Amino acid sequence: MKNRLKVLRAERDWSQADLAARLDVSRQSVNAIETGKYDPSLPLAFRIARLFDMPIEAVFED
């Protein structure tokens, strides 16, 4: 699954650790999602979309 997480994070000048803290996950989890090694659970994907105030489809694409 492709995602725009790295771009969205960079637009806000957040580090992976900053984003991880906001999502209550590890920095390694953020890195794995950004690089496509891990697809987030549906609840986590919705939390990410809410954090960026975007529809889930705008953050993730199949």
Side-chain angles (χ1 to χ4, degrees):
M1 177 184 313
K2 293 183 179 183
N3 67 73
R4 299 182 52 225
L5 199 53
K6 187 173 185 175
V7 172
L8 295 170
R9 179 176 58 77
E11 287 173 352
R12 287 153 181 81
D13 200 29
W14 293 347
S15 68
Q16 287 183 343
D18 293 334
L19 179 57
R22 286 175 166 83
L23 295 171
D24 197 28
V25 298
S26 69
R27 185 202 57 79
Q28 290 86 350
S29 293
V30 170
N31 180 269
I33 294 168
E34 284 185 357
T35 59
K37 294 178 183 170
Y38 168 75
D39 289 335
S41 66
L42 198 51
L44 178 55
F46 275 108
R47 283 199 337 250
I48 292 168
R50 273 195 304 271
L51 178 64
F52 290 108
D53 195 28
M54 302 177 85
I56 197 166
E57 297 87 2
V59 180
F60 299 96
E61 59 183 77
D62 194 10

